Amino acid sequence: QVQLAESGGRLVQAGDSLRVSCTVSGRTPSNFYMGWFRQAPGKEREFVAVISWSGTFARYVDSVKGRFTISRDNAKNTLYLQLNSLKPEDTAVYYCAGGTRDGVITATTQRLYDYWGQGTQVTVSS
């Protein structure tokens, strides 16, 4: 059974940087893509970024392009999200997720993910 655990979320000021991590335990399936989603208060959970198993391919939601970077270290079983130039609208609970589907290298849709963490709170003050 795969388990995901996020860490690193905290209160920061606008313009600050932060890195959140997601530790993976258990045996992951082949072609295991991983992503970050977030849910702001009163809003639906939304896609933020995804990275392929090899780390070669990454995709981002438009609102974070150029500010956030997703990466992974498979040897350490860890997924990262570097958040730069943070804005108050980035305030949310950030979730990591993982999945695998035949023919899919990256996925932006929640239903294509099988495993989810509990989330880590990122709060950006103005």
Side-chain angles (χ1 to χ4, degrees):
Q1 181 71 13
V2 176
Q3 292 185 320
L4 308 179
E6 303 92 338
S7 62
R10 60 184 176 90
L11 173 64
V12 297
Q13 293 187 333
D16 283 354
S17 295
L18 180 68
R19 188 176 78 166
V20 292
S21 303
C22 173
T23 301
V24 182
S25 60
R27 185 171 182 175
T28 57
S30 59
N31 190 32
F32 192 63
Y33 47 81
M34 295 197 71
W36 289 98
F37 293 78
R38 66 185 179 185
Q39 187 167 20
K43 295 188 177 181
E44 305 228 335
R45 189 162 58 186
E46 66 169 353
F47 165 77
V48 176
V50 59
I51 190 166
S52 60
W53 164 250
S54 65
T56 302
F57 302 102
R59 299 164 68 182
Y60 300 89
V61 67
D62 286 347
S63 60
V64 308
K65 285 181 180 177
R67 298 190 299 122
F68 292 8
T69 302
I70 189 172
S71 61
R72 66 192 297 170
D73 185 338
N74 290 337
K76 295 183 178 180
N77 295 320
T78 305
L79 174 73
Y80 304 100
L81 185 67
Q82 178 69 38
L83 301 80
N84 296 332
S85 302
L86 281 160
K87 304 175 182 180
E89 51 263 45
D90 294 318
T91 294
V93 177
Y94 283 72
Y95 298 90
C96 69
T100 183
R101 296 289 188 277
D102 288 344
V104 177
I105 298 174
T106 60
T108 62
T109 306
Q110 295 184 51
R111 63 179 176 80
L112 295 181
Y113 287 82
D114 306 302
Y115 305 99
W116 292 83
Q118 294 300 307
T120 187
Q121 176 70 49
V122 174
T123 303
V124 185
S125 65
S126 57

